[in-house]
Amino acid sequence: EELYGKIVPLVSDTESIAKAVRRYGNLIKAYQKSLKRSKAKGAMATDMNEKEMEQQKEAADLAKKSLDDLTGAANALLFRGDVDVYQRTRTQMLTYLNAENQKAQAQSSSSAAANEASKKKPTTKLPPCKWEYRGNQDNQLHGPFTTDQMISWTQGGYFIGAQAVQIRTLRPKPKSTQEDLMADLMDDSDDDDDDDDGAEMDRGEWVSSNDVNFQAYLP
């Protein structure tokens, strides 16, 4: 992206890099020919001729610098594997740069939203739980999901920034001592499954996923 940014100002709207190289080369050659003609005459140049030659020299010096910068950046891209770089037009390079800028801005916005949200999140450990959320598009409940799943998704850019959703915790309701005793008596001794399927759940308050520090809910 940086190399394309260096190339774009050196290429005109309708040019490819190859055409720009030829244009700069022609400017340099034109000055060299004028210089030879002036020396061949062997006569003192008029003030007007001196001024014209000085202008041509400045144009040629600028063309040489532009040519060096252009070929340097293009060759660097060529060595990186962009074998068609010299055929790329200014329009194509601008389209690429705009797409990269939009991508960078989106990533920056997501990162800023995540950083801002982290400032509001608690740092103390909270009781483990599962999660359900309400979809922005379908307005349906989705879940339950584990805290590890939620962390993985937020790290991938989901449920933060513009993609934030309403979310709440799910925990099994605590049982009384009598209920625990009856559950132990009724439990099959060969059944070691300790998941929460079928258990009555306590549901927390709805909050924005931007405001949740999922790390605090890890065991």
Side-chain angles (χ1 to χ4, degrees):
E1 181 181 346
E2 181 181 354
L3 291 171
Y4 279 124
K6 291 180 179 179
I7 291 173
V8 165
L10 303 174
V11 181
S12 67
D13 290 339
T14 58
E15 282 184 325
S16 65
I17 295 176
K19 287 182 179 180
V21 168
R22 287 193 291 271
R23 174 167 59 86
Y24 290 126
N26 289 336
L27 287 172
I28 297 170
K29 289 177 181 178
Y31 169 70
Q32 291 172 342
K33 288 181 179 179
S34 295
L35 190 59
K36 287 180 180 179
R37 284 197 300 266
S38 177
K39 289 180 179 180
K41 290 179 180 179
M44 291 290 293
T46 64
D47 290 341
M48 180 61 71
N49 286 338
E50 287 179 355
K51 185 176 181 180
E52 289 177 354
M53 288 300 297
E54 184 62 28
Q55 290 175 343
Q56 287 187 10
K57 182 179 184 303
E58 290 177 359
D61 289 343
L62 180 60
K64 185 177 185 309
K65 184 181 183 307
S66 298
L67 181 61
D68 290 342
D69 292 342
L70 179 58
T71 55
N75 286 339
L77 289 167
L78 185 64
F79 293 147
R80 291 183 183 182
D82 190 352
V83 296
D84 297 323
V85 63
Y86 275 93
Q87 307 309 316
R88 299 198 187 284
T89 63
R90 188 173 192 268
T91 300
Q92 290 173 331
M93 289 182 283
L94 285 173
T95 300
Y96 169 78
L97 288 173
N98 287 336
E100 289 298 306
N101 286 336
Q102 290 176 2
K103 187 187 300 183
Q105 289 174 1
Q107 291 174 347
S108 178
S109 297
S110 295
S111 177
N115 289 337
E116 184 63 26
S118 67
K119 296 176 183 178
K120 306 175 184 177
K121 297 171 186 175
T123 56
T124 55
K125 287 291 183 180
L126 298 171
C129 63
K130 291 186 178 181
W131 305 85
E132 67 179 1
Y133 71 89
R134 188 181 302 279
N136 290 333
Q137 302 298 326
D138 58 13
N139 203 36
Q140 299 296 311
L141 292 180
H142 301 273
F145 303 107
T146 66
T147 297
D148 285 329
Q149 286 176 299
M150 299 307 300
I151 291 174
S152 176
W153 285 328
T154 55
Q155 288 175 343
Y158 299 98
F159 304 131
I160 59 176
Q163 298 189 43
V165 295
Q166 290 295 299
I167 193 168
R168 64 183 177 184
T169 56
L170 294 175
R171 292 187 178 91
K173 282 189 175 180
K175 297 178 181 179
S176 66
T177 303
Q178 182 177 358
E179 288 175 329
D180 284 339
L181 179 60
M182 291 301 297
D184 289 340
L185 290 174
M186 298 295 294
D187 192 19
D188 187 343
S189 60
D190 293 331
D191 184 6
D192 294 330
D193 187 7
D194 59 353
D195 62 24
D196 298 329
D197 291 346
E200 192 174 357
M201 306 299 287
D202 262 335
R203 287 172 165 80
E205 297 292 329
W206 288 108
V207 296
S208 170
S209 56
N210 268 338
D211 298 328
V212 179
N213 179 10
F214 293 105
Q215 296 285 347
Y217 291 86
L218 290 173

